mmCIF file with all atom_site columns, all heavy atoms in Angstrom:
data_model
loop_
_atom_site.group_PDB
_atom_site.id
_atom_site.type_symbol
_atom_site.label_atom_id
_atom_site.label_alt_id
_atom_site.label_comp_id
_atom_site.label_asym_id
_atom_site.label_entity_id
_atom_site.label_seq_id
_atom_site.pdbx_PDB_ins_code
_atom_site.Cartn_x
_atom_site.Cartn_y
_atom_site.Cartn_z
_atom_site.occupancy
_atom_site.B_iso_or_equiv
_atom_site.pdbx_formal_charge
_atom_site.auth_seq_id
_atom_site.auth_comp_id
_atom_site.auth_asym_id
_atom_site.auth_atom_id
_atom_site.pdbx_PDB_model_num
ATOM 1  N N   . ARG A 1 44 ? -10.158 0.513   -16.626 1.00 96.00 ? 44 ARG A N   1
ATOM 2  C CA  . ARG A 1 44 ? -9.204  -0.092  -17.557 1.00 96.00 ? 44 ARG A CA  1
ATOM 3  C C   . ARG A 1 44 ? -8.298  -1.078  -16.816 1.00 96.00 ? 44 ARG A C   1
ATOM 4  O O   . ARG A 1 44 ? -8.026  -2.179  -17.310 1.00 96.00 ? 44 ARG A O   1
ATOM 5  C CB  . ARG A 1 44 ? -8.388  0.982   -18.261 1.00 96.00 ? 44 ARG A CB  1
ATOM 6  C CG  . ARG A 1 44 ? -7.243  0.469   -19.157 1.00 96.00 ? 44 ARG A CG  1
ATOM 7  C CD  . ARG A 1 44 ? -7.677  -0.562  -20.168 1.00 96.00 ? 44 ARG A CD  1
ATOM 8  N NE  . ARG A 1 44 ? -8.698  -0.094  -21.083 1.00 96.00 ? 44 ARG A NE  1
ATOM 9  C CZ  . ARG A 1 44 ? -8.442  0.425   -22.288 1.00 96.00 ? 44 ARG A CZ  1
ATOM 10 N NH1 . ARG A 1 44 ? -7.188  0.537   -22.701 1.00 96.00 ? 44 ARG A NH1 1
ATOM 11 N NH2 . ARG A 1 44 ? -9.432  0.821   -23.066 1.00 96.00 ? 44 ARG A NH2 1
ATOM 12 N N   . ALA A 1 45 ? -7.852  -0.716  -15.617 1.00 97.00 ? 45 ALA A N   1
ATOM 13 C CA  . ALA A 1 45 ? -7.024  -1.635  -14.837 1.00 97.00 ? 45 ALA A CA  1
ATOM 14 C C   . ALA A 1 45 ? -7.789  -2.907  -14.508 1.00 97.00 ? 45 ALA A C   1
ATOM 15 O O   . ALA A 1 45 ? -7.233  -4.020  -14.544 1.00 97.00 ? 45 ALA A O   1
ATOM 16 C CB  . ALA A 1 45 ? -6.552  -0.955  -13.554 1.00 97.00 ? 45 ALA A CB  1
ATOM 17 N N   . GLY A 1 46 ? -9.078  -2.762  -14.186 1.00 96.00 ? 46 GLY A N   1
ATOM 18 C CA  . GLY A 1 46 ? -9.903  -3.933  -13.905 1.00 96.00 ? 46 GLY A CA  1
ATOM 19 C C   . GLY A 1 46 ? -10.081 -4.812  -15.127 1.00 96.00 ? 46 GLY A C   1
ATOM 20 O O   . GLY A 1 46 ? -10.044 -6.051  -15.032 1.00 96.00 ? 46 GLY A O   1
ATOM 21 N N   . GLU A 1 47 ? -10.282 -4.199  -16.275 1.00 95.00 ? 47 GLU A N   1
ATOM 22 C CA  . GLU A 1 47 ? -10.421 -4.952  -17.512 1.00 95.00 ? 47 GLU A CA  1
ATOM 23 C C   . GLU A 1 47 ? -9.141  -5.717  -17.826 1.00 95.00 ? 47 GLU A C   1
ATOM 24 O O   . GLU A 1 47 ? -9.181  -6.883  -18.260 1.00 95.00 ? 47 GLU A O   1
ATOM 25 C CB  . GLU A 1 47 ? -10.765 -4.004  -18.666 1.00 95.00 ? 47 GLU A CB  1
ATOM 26 C CG  . GLU A 1 47 ? -12.150 -3.371  -18.543 1.00 95.00 ? 47 GLU A CG  1
ATOM 27 C CD  . GLU A 1 47 ? -12.348 -2.246  -19.540 1.00 95.00 ? 47 GLU A CD  1
ATOM 28 O OE1 . GLU A 1 47 ? -11.342 -1.764  -20.114 1.00 95.00 ? 47 GLU A OE1 1
ATOM 29 O OE2 . GLU A 1 47 ? -13.503 -1.829  -19.733 1.00 95.00 ? 47 GLU A OE2 1
ATOM 30 N N   . GLN A 1 48 ? -7.991  -5.058  -17.594 1.00 96.00 ? 48 GLN A N   1
ATOM 31 C CA  . GLN A 1 48 ? -6.712  -5.718  -17.851 1.00 96.00 ? 48 GLN A CA  1
ATOM 32 C C   . GLN A 1 48 ? -6.523  -6.914  -16.924 1.00 96.00 ? 48 GLN A C   1
ATOM 33 O O   . GLN A 1 48 ? -6.066  -7.980  -17.341 1.00 96.00 ? 48 GLN A O   1
ATOM 34 C CB  . GLN A 1 48 ? -5.566  -4.710  -17.671 1.00 96.00 ? 48 GLN A CB  1
ATOM 35 C CG  . GLN A 1 48 ? -5.515  -3.656  -18.754 1.00 96.00 ? 48 GLN A CG  1
ATOM 36 C CD  . GLN A 1 48 ? -4.564  -2.526  -18.421 1.00 96.00 ? 48 GLN A CD  1
ATOM 37 O OE1 . GLN A 1 48 ? -4.634  -1.935  -17.354 1.00 96.00 ? 48 GLN A OE1 1
ATOM 38 N NE2 . GLN A 1 48 ? -3.658  -2.222  -19.353 1.00 96.00 ? 48 GLN A NE2 1
ATOM 39 N N   . ALA A 1 49 ? -6.865  -6.711  -15.642 1.00 94.00 ? 49 ALA A N   1
ATOM 40 C CA  . ALA A 1 49 ? -6.703  -7.800  -14.683 1.00 94.00 ? 49 ALA A CA  1
ATOM 41 C C   . ALA A 1 49 ? -7.612  -8.982  -15.028 1.00 94.00 ? 49 ALA A C   1
ATOM 42 O O   . ALA A 1 49 ? -7.257  -10.145 -14.791 1.00 94.00 ? 49 ALA A O   1
ATOM 43 C CB  . ALA A 1 49 ? -7.012  -7.301  -13.275 1.00 94.00 ? 49 ALA A CB  1
#
Side-chain angles (χ1 to χ4, degrees):
R44 174 53 59 94
E47 293 169 345
Q48 290 169 308

